[in-house]
Amino acid sequence: MEKKDVLAGLAALAQETRLDIFRLLVEAGPEGRSAGAIAEALAVAPATLSFHLSNLTHAGLIVQRRESRSLIYSADFGRMTGIVGFLSENCCGRSANPAACAPLCAPVPEAANTENQEETGNGASAGPRCGC
Amino acid sequence: MEKKDVLAGLAALAQETRLDIFRLLVEAGPEGRSAGAIAEALAVAPATLSFHLSNLTHAGLIVQRRESRSLIYSADFGRMTGIVGFLSENCCGRSANPAACAPLCAPVPEAANTENQEETGNGASAGPRCGC
DNA sequence: CTGGCATTTCCATGTTTGTCGAAACGTCGA
DNA sequence: TCGACGTTTCGACAAACATGGAAATGCCAG
């Protein structure tokens, strides 16, 4: 995963409409959703949606396939995990002492959860986030 | 973690200079780095750096502390894991069948690694990415 | 081949963003 | 208190971006 790819992915997600689209597709899973269905679900004008879908596709975050007259879009999780990996690369300088790293790299177990419990159980499943 | 926070975090990271800063601070760990040290390491003009540091701070991705005349910045991993959690929220509609979800949610074990091995061992440590 | 539907491309607009020089601010050593 | 140093704020500019209406494109049923 190269820096420019990560940058493109983050830029694509850093926009409300596109973030909504992506999360809708994450929720839809491999099955995906047609452009029309997305437009209806999010109440976005066709031209605007097309612009954003193109953006997300070029960023590699979503994938397009045809099904009769409709174009179906679905999320590409591999790309997302790649981006996350890039962000935590060389975490804490790959220090050999997990102690110095723990406060940052593995705050999930209990500390970070005291703030906001809404959607724990997903990414915050207490697994080791970085290689520390 | 609210949507606007996630949006702010992604927008902050979706910029080359800021991405470089954040990754530098991720590598630096809890110890952090002074503004001057960052400016030197990345060859960024002081005013520009200050602008980006402020941006990252407001997004909650980095934290500031004073040490004599210098301001030390360090990454806040809790925020990052929160963002990742938000992105994979309701993954695959929380479907009860992991089979339909696996191709997207847990492609890491072997499939995704065949592409690019550079920084595996970090985020791509084969742990379950979403709650599927 | 033709009509119709789903989606995209084109275009113009207003808004946001990244950049840097100059000046101001706050903190520390003497 | 003073001078110096590290950092931030201000001001201005060019560039990139989001948006939606209208027209064009691609695909399918009959």
Side-chain angles (χ1 to χ4, degrees), chain B residues 50-71:
Chain B
S50 184
F51 170 76
H52 289 305
L53 286 175
S54 166
N55 196 319
L56 284 164
T57 302
H58 281 110
L61 285 165
I62 65 177
V63 158
Q64 182 191 65
R65 75 175 189 273
R66 178 168 287 279
E67 204 156 284
S68 180
R69 248 176 294 193
S70 296
L71 289 174

Side-chain angles (χ1 to χ4, degrees), chain A residues 1-3 6-7 10-11 13-16 19-20 22-23 26-30 75-78 80-81 84-94 100-101 103-105 107-108 112 115-116 118-119 121-125 128-131, chain B residues 1-3 6-7 10-11 13-16 19-20 22-23 26-30 75-81 84-94 100-101 103-105 107-108 116 118-125 128-131:
Chain A
M1 181 76 63
E2 294 188 20
K3 184 159 94 174
V6 174
L7 228 26
L10 290 169
L13 291 174
Q15 210 285 324
E16 182 159 18
L19 182 60
D20 289 339
F22 184 74
R23 296 224 308 152
V26 164
E27 188 168 346
D76 180 343
F77 264 64
M80 213 188 76
T81 57
V84 174
F86 186 86
L87 287 174
S88 48
E89 195 173 357
N90 288 340
C91 169
C92 304
R94 297 187 174 285
C101 197
L104 271 189
C105 303
V108 201
E115 180 202 9
N116 218 329
E118 298 172 43
E119 67 286 282
N122 287 333
S125 55
R129 164 94 293 98
C130 76
Chain B
M1 181 75 63
E2 295 187 18
K3 184 158 97 175
V6 173
L7 228 26
L10 291 169
L13 291 174
Q15 209 284 323
E16 181 159 19
L19 182 60
D20 289 339
F22 184 74
R23 296 224 306 153
V26 164
E27 190 169 345
D76 180 344
F77 264 63
R79 190 59 159 236
M80 211 188 78
T81 57
V84 173
F86 186 85
L87 287 174
S88 48
E89 196 173 357
N90 288 342
C91 168
C92 305
R94 296 187 174 284
C101 196
L104 271 189
C105 302
V108 200
N116 217 330
E118 299 172 42
E119 67 284 285
T120 52
N122 289 333
S125 54
R129 165 95 289 104
C130 76

